[in-house]
Amino acid sequence: MIRLTLSITAARGESWRLIDALRSLMLPTRRERGCISCQLVLSSESCDPMRISYVEDWSSEAALREQVRSDRFSRLLELMESAMEPPQLEFALGNGTRGLDYVEEVRADRSRRRRVDPGAGTRND
């Protein structure tokens, strides 16, 4: 199993907006091929700010890589920018744990494939 974990602290007054936005991403993710589970874990010592963990479990790294290239994942990255503190993004892969460098690698790989074969008539992503 491959796991993506995002730990994020919402800014004061923004926790429910962030939770709603994550839920709107979570529901379609559960229907994606290769998704084993997708969930939110909330913890708070007061009402606000709130520490939120967003977790996706995937059947394979290939399934996860496909998601990292998706528009949905771009929206997840945008949500990370609204965090009160720097968020922590972790990918637990079969060969170890990675962070944002994994996102850069996967997305750069997609860009390279498009440049190599821009007019072949088939999509490579």
Side-chain angles (χ1 to χ4, degrees), residues 28-67:
T29 300
R30 289 177 172 166
R31 293 187 296 267
E32 291 290 336
R33 183 175 38 110
C35 181
I36 296 170
S37 71
C38 186
Q39 61 187 330
L40 284 174
V41 179
L42 310 175
S43 63
S44 179
E45 296 184 12
S46 65
C47 293
D48 221 2
M50 186 175 288
R51 189 77 175 161
I52 303 165
S53 292
Y54 174 81
V55 181
E56 297 178 0
D57 291 321
W58 294 92
S59 61
S60 68
E61 185 175 353
L64 173 65
R65 291 176 77 87
E66 185 175 318
Q67 291 305 307

mmCIF file of all heavy atoms in Angstrom, residues 28-67:
data_model
loop_
_atom_site.group_PDB
_atom_site.id
_atom_site.type_symbol
_atom_site.label_atom_id
_atom_site.label_comp_id
_atom_site.label_asym_id
_atom_site.label_seq_id
_atom_site.Cartn_x
_atom_site.Cartn_y
_atom_site.Cartn_z
ATOM 1 N N PRO A 28 -14.498 12.635 -4.639
ATOM 2 C CA PRO A 28 -14.183 12.069 -5.958
ATOM 3 C C PRO A 28 -12.934 11.179 -5.929
ATOM 4 O O PRO A 28 -12.827 10.243 -6.724
ATOM 5 C CB PRO A 28 -13.986 13.283 -6.859
ATOM 6 C CG PRO A 28 -13.900 14.463 -5.976
ATOM 7 C CD PRO A 28 -14.465 14.097 -4.648
ATOM 8 N N THR A 29 -12.025 11.454 -5.020
ATOM 9 C CA THR A 29 -10.817 10.632 -4.919
ATOM 10 C C THR A 29 -11.182 9.195 -4.598
ATOM 11 O O THR A 29 -10.582 8.255 -5.137
ATOM 12 C CB THR A 29 -9.875 11.194 -3.833
ATOM 13 O OG1 THR A 29 -9.518 12.529 -4.187
ATOM 14 C CG2 THR A 29 -8.626 10.353 -3.685
ATOM 15 N N ARG A 30 -12.141 8.996 -3.738
ATOM 16 C CA ARG A 30 -12.550 7.646 -3.351
ATOM 17 C C ARG A 30 -13.031 6.822 -4.534
ATOM 18 O O ARG A 30 -12.998 5.600 -4.483
ATOM 19 C CB ARG A 30 -13.651 7.716 -2.292
ATOM 20 C CG ARG A 30 -13.145 8.190 -0.961
ATOM 21 C CD ARG A 30 -14.278 8.310 0.024
ATOM 22 N NE ARG A 30 -13.777 8.587 1.356
ATOM 23 C CZ ARG A 30 -14.532 8.998 2.346
ATOM 24 N NH1 ARG A 30 -15.836 9.162 2.171
ATOM 25 N NH2 ARG A 30 -14.002 9.240 3.531
ATOM 26 N N ARG A 31 -13.488 7.479 -5.601
ATOM 27 C CA ARG A 31 -13.972 6.767 -6.786
ATOM 28 C C ARG A 31 -12.875 6.497 -7.813
ATOM 29 O O ARG A 31 -13.117 5.834 -8.816
ATOM 30 C CB ARG A 31 -15.107 7.560 -7.437
ATOM 31 C CG ARG A 31 -16.355 7.619 -6.574
ATOM 32 C CD ARG A 31 -17.520 8.255 -7.303
ATOM 33 N NE ARG A 31 -17.311 9.649 -7.662
ATOM 34 C CZ ARG A 31 -17.679 10.693 -6.915
ATOM 35 N NH1 ARG A 31 -18.264 10.494 -5.763
ATOM 36 N NH2 ARG A 31 -17.464 11.916 -7.332
ATOM 37 N N GLU A 32 -11.691 7.036 -7.575
ATOM 38 C CA GLU A 32 -10.597 6.858 -8.533
ATOM 39 C C GLU A 32 -10.070 5.426 -8.511
ATOM 40 O O GLU A 32 -10.003 4.791 -7.461
ATOM 41 C CB GLU A 32 -9.442 7.819 -8.213
ATOM 42 C CG GLU A 32 -9.755 9.264 -8.466
ATOM 43 C CD GLU A 32 -9.869 9.611 -9.946
ATOM 44 O OE1 GLU A 32 -9.282 8.904 -10.793
ATOM 45 O OE2 GLU A 32 -10.558 10.593 -10.245
ATOM 46 N N ARG A 33 -9.680 4.955 -9.698
ATOM 47 C CA ARG A 33 -9.092 3.627 -9.820
ATOM 48 C C ARG A 33 -7.811 3.572 -8.983
ATOM 49 O O ARG A 33 -6.971 4.445 -9.070
ATOM 50 C CB ARG A 33 -8.764 3.357 -11.291
ATOM 51 C CG ARG A 33 -8.212 1.995 -11.568
ATOM 52 C CD ARG A 33 -8.042 1.794 -13.062
ATOM 53 N NE ARG A 33 -7.579 3.004 -13.726
ATOM 54 C CZ ARG A 33 -6.368 3.146 -14.249
ATOM 55 N NH1 ARG A 33 -5.506 2.173 -14.211
ATOM 56 N NH2 ARG A 33 -6.023 4.286 -14.828
ATOM 57 N N GLY A 34 -7.712 2.561 -8.144
ATOM 58 C CA GLY A 34 -6.527 2.379 -7.323
ATOM 59 C C GLY A 34 -6.624 2.975 -5.930
ATOM 60 O O GLY A 34 -5.756 2.732 -5.092
ATOM 61 N N CYS A 35 -7.663 3.761 -5.667
ATOM 62 C CA CYS A 35 -7.824 4.351 -4.333
ATOM 63 C C CYS A 35 -8.375 3.291 -3.377
ATOM 64 O O CYS A 35 -9.427 2.710 -3.616
ATOM 65 C CB CYS A 35 -8.761 5.548 -4.371
ATOM 66 S SG CYS A 35 -8.975 6.330 -2.752
ATOM 67 N N ILE A 36 -7.651 3.060 -2.298
ATOM 68 C CA ILE A 36 -8.100 2.123 -1.270
ATOM 69 C C ILE A 36 -8.941 2.857 -0.235
ATOM 70 O O ILE A 36 -9.993 2.389 0.170
ATOM 71 C CB ILE A 36 -6.889 1.439 -0.596
ATOM 72 C CG1 ILE A 36 -6.144 0.596 -1.630
ATOM 73 C CG2 ILE A 36 -7.327 0.610 0.604
ATOM 74 C CD1 ILE A 36 -4.814 0.062 -1.144
ATOM 75 N N SER A 37 -8.459 4.035 0.187
ATOM 76 C CA SER A 37 -9.224 4.852 1.128
ATOM 77 C C SER A 37 -8.740 6.295 1.066
ATOM 78 O O SER A 37 -7.639 6.580 0.593
ATOM 79 C CB SER A 37 -9.102 4.317 2.561
ATOM 80 O OG SER A 37 -7.804 4.545 3.061
ATOM 81 N N CYS A 38 -9.586 7.185 1.561
ATOM 82 C CA CYS A 38 -9.279 8.604 1.630
ATOM 83 C C CYS A 38 -10.049 9.147 2.828
ATOM 84 O O CYS A 38 -11.257 8.936 2.930
ATOM 85 C CB CYS A 38 -9.712 9.285 0.340
ATOM 86 S SG CYS A 38 -9.241 11.016 0.244
ATOM 87 N N GLN A 39 -9.342 9.800 3.756
ATOM 88 C CA GLN A 39 -10.011 10.235 4.978
ATOM 89 C C GLN A 39 -9.386 11.495 5.557
ATOM 90 O O GLN A 39 -8.251 11.840 5.256
ATOM 91 C CB GLN A 39 -9.966 9.116 6.008
ATOM 92 C CG GLN A 39 -8.565 8.707 6.403
ATOM 93 C CD GLN A 39 -8.529 7.493 7.295
ATOM 94 O OE1 GLN A 39 -9.459 7.258 8.049
ATOM 95 N NE2 GLN A 39 -7.459 6.726 7.231
ATOM 96 N N LEU A 40 -10.153 12.152 6.413
ATOM 97 C CA LEU A 40 -9.688 13.304 7.187
ATOM 98 C C LEU A 40 -9.605 12.901 8.646
ATOM 99 O O LEU A 40 -10.494 12.211 9.156
ATOM 100 C CB LEU A 40 -10.685 14.459 7.087
ATOM 101 C CG LEU A 40 -10.707 15.268 5.805
ATOM 102 C CD1 LEU A 40 -11.863 16.256 5.854
ATOM 103 C CD2 LEU A 40 -9.404 15.993 5.603
ATOM 104 N N VAL A 41 -8.555 13.341 9.313
ATOM 105 C CA VAL A 41 -8.410 13.130 10.750
ATOM 106 C C VAL A 41 -8.214 14.516 11.355
ATOM 107 O O VAL A 41 -7.294 15.236 10.995
ATOM 108 C CB VAL A 41 -7.204 12.217 11.070
ATOM 109 C CG1 VAL A 41 -7.066 12.032 12.568
ATOM 110 C CG2 VAL A 41 -7.327 10.884 10.350
ATOM 111 N N LEU A 42 -9.106 14.890 12.274
ATOM 112 C CA LEU A 42 -9.084 16.221 12.868
ATOM 113 C C LEU A 42 -8.632 16.155 14.315
ATOM 114 O O LEU A 42 -9.033 15.262 15.051
ATOM 115 C CB LEU A 42 -10.480 16.839 12.808
ATOM 116 C CG LEU A 42 -11.183 16.799 11.463
ATOM 117 C CD1 LEU A 42 -12.593 17.347 11.599
ATOM 118 C CD2 LEU A 42 -10.403 17.562 10.425
ATOM 119 N N SER A 43 -7.796 17.114 14.695
ATOM 120 C CA SER A 43 -7.414 17.206 16.104
ATOM 121 C C SER A 43 -7.256 18.671 16.472
ATOM 122 O O SER A 43 -6.804 19.474 15.676
ATOM 123 C CB SER A 43 -6.113 16.448 16.369
ATOM 124 O OG SER A 43 -5.059 17.015 15.641
ATOM 125 N N SER A 44 -7.665 18.995 17.669
ATOM 126 C CA SER A 44 -7.582 20.371 18.119
ATOM 127 C C SER A 44 -7.614 20.395 19.632
ATOM 128 O O SER A 44 -8.346 19.645 20.261
ATOM 129 C CB SER A 44 -8.751 21.187 17.574
ATOM 130 O OG SER A 44 -8.671 22.508 18.037
ATOM 131 N N GLU A 45 -6.796 21.253 20.199
ATOM 132 C CA GLU A 45 -6.835 21.426 21.645
ATOM 133 C C GLU A 45 -7.772 22.560 22.023
ATOM 134 O O GLU A 45 -8.108 22.728 23.171
ATOM 135 C CB GLU A 45 -5.424 21.659 22.163
ATOM 136 C CG GLU A 45 -4.557 20.430 21.921
ATOM 137 C CD GLU A 45 -3.178 20.567 22.488
ATOM 138 O OE1 GLU A 45 -2.925 21.498 23.268
ATOM 139 O OE2 GLU A 45 -2.350 19.725 22.151
ATOM 140 N N SER A 46 -8.171 23.324 21.027
ATOM 141 C CA SER A 46 -9.193 24.350 21.225
ATOM 142 C C SER A 46 -10.079 24.310 19.985
ATOM 143 O O SER A 46 -9.885 23.495 19.105
ATOM 144 C CB SER A 46 -8.533 25.725 21.384
ATOM 145 O OG SER A 46 -7.879 26.087 20.184
ATOM 146 N N CYS A 47 -11.039 25.178 19.912
ATOM 147 C CA CYS A 47 -11.942 25.170 18.752
ATOM 148 C C CYS A 47 -11.226 25.537 17.456
ATOM 149 O O CYS A 47 -11.558 25.032 16.402
ATOM 150 C CB CYS A 47 -13.100 26.125 18.976
ATOM 151 S SG CYS A 47 -14.179 25.573 20.304
ATOM 152 N N ASP A 48 -10.244 26.417 17.545
ATOM 153 C CA ASP A 48 -9.570 26.918 16.370
ATOM 154 C C ASP A 48 -8.248 27.525 16.813
ATOM 155 O O ASP A 48 -8.218 28.155 17.844
ATOM 156 C CB ASP A 48 -10.440 27.994 15.724
ATOM 157 C CG ASP A 48 -10.479 27.937 14.219
ATOM 158 O OD1 ASP A 48 -9.857 27.037 13.640
ATOM 159 O OD2 ASP A 48 -11.144 28.802 13.637
ATOM 160 N N PRO A 49 -7.127 27.362 16.190
ATOM 161 C CA PRO A 49 -6.881 26.667 14.942
ATOM 162 C C PRO A 49 -6.909 25.144 15.108
ATOM 163 O O PRO A 49 -6.834 24.635 16.215
ATOM 164 C CB PRO A 49 -5.490 27.134 14.540
ATOM 165 C CG PRO A 49 -4.817 27.435 15.817
ATOM 166 C CD PRO A 49 -5.907 27.951 16.723
ATOM 167 N N MET A 50 -6.996 24.455 13.996
ATOM 168 C CA MET A 50 -7.146 23.015 14.017
ATOM 169 C C MET A 50 -6.077 22.364 13.148
ATOM 170 O O MET A 50 -5.788 22.827 12.060
ATOM 171 C CB MET A 50 -8.534 22.644 13.496
ATOM 172 C CG MET A 50 -8.850 21.175 13.616
ATOM 173 S SD MET A 50 -10.545 20.829 13.115
ATOM 174 C CE MET A 50 -11.448 21.528 14.481
ATOM 175 N N ARG A 51 -5.524 21.297 13.653
ATOM 176 C CA ARG A 51 -4.576 20.485 12.894
ATOM 177 C C ARG A 51 -5.377 19.430 12.136
ATOM 178 O O ARG A 51 -6.188 18.719 12.723
ATOM 179 C CB ARG A 51 -3.574 19.823 13.843
ATOM 180 C CG ARG A 51 -2.443 19.154 13.157
ATOM 181 C CD ARG A 51 -1.454 20.192 12.688
ATOM 182 N NE ARG A 51 -0.292 19.542 12.118
ATOM 183 C CZ ARG A 51 0.544 20.142 11.327
ATOM 184 N NH1 ARG A 51 0.370 21.405 11.018
ATOM 185 N NH2 ARG A 51 1.574 19.511 10.844
ATOM 186 N N ILE A 52 -5.170 19.372 10.833
ATOM 187 C CA ILE A 52 -5.926 18.473 9.973
ATOM 188 C C ILE A 52 -4.954 17.534 9.267
ATOM 189 O O ILE A 52 -3.944 17.982 8.723
ATOM 190 C CB ILE A 52 -6.726 19.272 8.918
ATOM 191 C CG1 ILE A 52 -7.651 20.268 9.607
ATOM 192 C CG2 ILE A 52 -7.481 18.345 7.984
ATOM 193 C CD1 ILE A 52 -8.199 21.336 8.693
ATOM 194 N N SER A 53 -5.281 16.263 9.280
ATOM 195 C CA SER A 53 -4.515 15.294 8.498
ATOM 196 C C SER A 53 -5.431 14.745 7.415
ATOM 197 O O SER A 53 -6.547 14.305 7.689
ATOM 198 C CB SER A 53 -4.011 14.141 9.373
ATOM 199 O OG SER A 53 -3.037 14.598 10.267
ATOM 200 N N TYR A 54 -4.937 14.802 6.207
ATOM 201 C CA TYR A 54 -5.650 14.283 5.045
ATOM 202 C C TYR A 54 -4.836 13.094 4.543
ATOM 203 O O TYR A 54 -3.634 13.223 4.297
ATOM 204 C CB TYR A 54 -5.738 15.383 3.986
ATOM 205 C CG TYR A 54 -6.321 14.948 2.669
ATOM 206 C CD1 TYR A 54 -7.696 14.852 2.503
ATOM 207 C CD2 TYR A 54 -5.498 14.653 1.590
ATOM 208 C CE1 TYR A 54 -8.236 14.462 1.285
ATOM 209 C CE2 TYR A 54 -6.033 14.273 0.380
ATOM 210 C CZ TYR A 54 -7.397 14.173 0.236
ATOM 211 O OH TYR A 54 -7.933 13.790 -0.965
ATOM 212 N N VAL A 55 -5.465 11.928 4.439
ATOM 213 C CA VAL A 55 -4.731 10.699 4.123
ATOM 214 C C VAL A 55 -5.383 9.994 2.938
ATOM 215 O O VAL A 55 -6.601 9.779 2.924
ATOM 216 C CB VAL A 55 -4.708 9.740 5.341
ATOM 217 C CG1 VAL A 55 -3.925 8.473 5.024
ATOM 218 C CG2 VAL A 55 -4.127 10.442 6.568
ATOM 219 N N GLU A 56 -4.562 9.647 1.954
ATOM 220 C CA GLU A 56 -4.998 8.839 0.819
ATOM 221 C C GLU A 56 -4.163 7.568 0.790
ATOM 222 O O GLU A 56 -2.935 7.634 0.891
ATOM 223 C CB GLU A 56 -4.783 9.570 -0.509
ATOM 224 C CG GLU A 56 -5.571 10.828 -0.678
ATOM 225 C CD GLU A 56 -5.271 11.541 -1.997
ATOM 226 O OE1 GLU A 56 -4.441 11.050 -2.798
ATOM 227 O OE2 GLU A 56 -5.868 12.599 -2.214
ATOM 228 N N ASP A 57 -4.799 6.414 0.639
ATOM 229 C CA ASP A 57 -4.109 5.136 0.476
ATOM 230 C C ASP A 57 -4.362 4.630 -0.936
ATOM 231 O O ASP A 57 -5.520 4.599 -1.393
ATOM 232 C CB ASP A 57 -4.608 4.105 1.491
ATOM 233 C CG ASP A 57 -4.190 4.453 2.905
ATOM 234 O OD1 ASP A 57 -3.051 4.924 3.095
ATOM 235 O OD2 ASP A 57 -4.997 4.260 3.832
ATOM 236 N N TRP A 58 -3.295 4.231 -1.610
ATOM 237 C CA TRP A 58 -3.363 3.792 -3.010
ATOM 238 C C TRP A 58 -2.839 2.370 -3.146
ATOM 239 O O TRP A 58 -1.943 1.950 -2.402
ATOM 240 C CB TRP A 58 -2.565 4.754 -3.892
ATOM 241 C CG TRP A 58 -3.200 6.103 -3.898
ATOM 242 C CD1 TRP A 58 -2.930 7.162 -3.067
ATOM 243 C CD2 TRP A 58 -4.284 6.526 -4.722
ATOM 244 N NE1 TRP A 58 -3.773 8.205 -3.339
ATOM 245 C CE2 TRP A 58 -4.612 7.851 -4.351
ATOM 246 C CE3 TRP A 58 -5.003 5.912 -5.745
ATOM 247 C CZ2 TRP A 58 -5.630 8.562 -4.969
ATOM 248 C CZ3 TRP A 58 -6.017 6.633 -6.363
ATOM 249 C CH2 TRP A 58 -6.318 7.951 -5.976
ATOM 250 N N SER A 59 -3.374 1.650 -4.113
ATOM 251 C CA SER A 59 -2.986 0.255 -4.333
ATOM 252 C C SER A 59 -1.603 0.127 -4.952
ATOM 253 O O SER A 59 -0.946 -0.903 -4.780
ATOM 254 C CB SER A 59 -4.014 -0.441 -5.231
ATOM 255 O OG SER A 59 -4.084 0.204 -6.491
ATOM 256 N N SER A 60 -1.146 1.171 -5.656
ATOM 257 C CA SER A 60 0.159 1.108 -6.303
ATOM 258 C C SER A 60 0.739 2.507 -6.454
ATOM 259 O O SER A 60 0.007 3.499 -6.420
ATOM 260 C CB SER A 60 0.039 0.469 -7.690
ATOM 261 O OG SER A 60 -0.682 1.328 -8.555
ATOM 262 N N GLU A 61 2.040 2.563 -6.670
ATOM 263 C CA GLU A 61 2.668 3.855 -6.904
ATOM 264 C C GLU A 61 2.222 4.427 -8.247
ATOM 265 O O GLU A 61 2.077 5.640 -8.397
ATOM 266 C CB GLU A 61 4.188 3.754 -6.849
ATOM 267 C CG GLU A 61 4.846 5.106 -6.960
ATOM 268 C CD GLU A 61 6.343 5.111 -6.797
ATOM 269 O OE1 GLU A 61 6.920 4.060 -6.449
ATOM 270 O OE2 GLU A 61 6.944 6.179 -7.024
ATOM 271 N N ALA A 62 1.960 3.574 -9.232
ATOM 272 C CA ALA A 62 1.486 4.052 -10.536
ATOM 273 C C ALA A 62 0.156 4.795 -10.379
ATOM 274 O O ALA A 62 -0.052 5.845 -10.995
ATOM 275 C CB ALA A 62 1.340 2.883 -11.504
ATOM 276 N N ALA A 63 -0.738 4.273 -9.557
ATOM 277 C CA ALA A 63 -2.027 4.938 -9.311
ATOM 278 C C ALA A 63 -1.812 6.281 -8.626
ATOM 279 O O ALA A 63 -2.459 7.279 -8.972
ATOM 280 C CB ALA A 63 -2.934 4.037 -8.478
ATOM 281 N N LEU A 64 -0.909 6.328 -7.670
ATOM 282 C CA LEU A 64 -0.607 7.583 -6.977
ATOM 283 C C LEU A 64 0.005 8.590 -7.938
ATOM 284 O O LEU A 64 -0.386 9.761 -7.958
ATOM 285 C CB LEU A 64 0.334 7.344 -5.796
ATOM 286 C CG LEU A 64 0.854 8.607 -5.110
ATOM 287 C CD1 LEU A 64 -0.281 9.381 -4.450
ATOM 288 C CD2 LEU A 64 1.920 8.259 -4.098
ATOM 289 N N ARG A 65 0.961 8.156 -8.751
ATOM 290 C CA ARG A 65 1.606 9.063 -9.705
ATOM 291 C C ARG A 65 0.568 9.695 -10.641
ATOM 292 O O ARG A 65 0.650 10.884 -10.952
ATOM 293 C CB ARG A 65 2.689 8.333 -10.500
ATOM 294 C CG ARG A 65 3.894 7.958 -9.651
ATOM 295 C CD ARG A 65 4.911 7.156 -10.438
ATOM 296 N NE ARG A 65 5.690 7.991 -11.314
ATOM 297 C CZ ARG A 65 6.800 8.636 -10.972
ATOM 298 N NH1 ARG A 65 7.265 8.550 -9.747
ATOM 299 N NH2 ARG A 65 7.454 9.360 -11.851
ATOM 300 N N GLU A 66 -0.406 8.915 -11.079
ATOM 301 C CA GLU A 66 -1.464 9.439 -11.928
ATOM 302 C C GLU A 66 -2.214 10.564 -11.209
ATOM 303 O O GLU A 66 -2.546 11.588 -11.800
ATOM 304 C CB GLU A 66 -2.421 8.307 -12.302
ATOM 305 C CG GLU A 66 -3.483 8.701 -13.283
ATOM 306 C CD GLU A 66 -4.326 7.512 -13.697
ATOM 307 O OE1 GLU A 66 -3.778 6.424 -13.924
ATOM 308 O OE2 GLU A 66 -5.559 7.697 -13.771
ATOM 309 N N GLN A 67 -2.471 10.382 -9.934
ATOM 310 C CA GLN A 67 -3.186 11.392 -9.153
ATOM 311 C C GLN A 67 -2.345 12.641 -8.938
ATOM 312 O O GLN A 67 -2.863 13.755 -8.968
ATOM 313 C CB GLN A 67 -3.623 10.807 -7.812
ATOM 314 C CG GLN A 67 -4.697 9.769 -7.946
ATOM 315 C CD GLN A 67 -5.900 10.297 -8.691
ATOM 316 O OE1 GLN A 67 -6.461 11.337 -8.347
ATOM 317 N NE2 GLN A 67 -6.308 9.584 -9.726
#
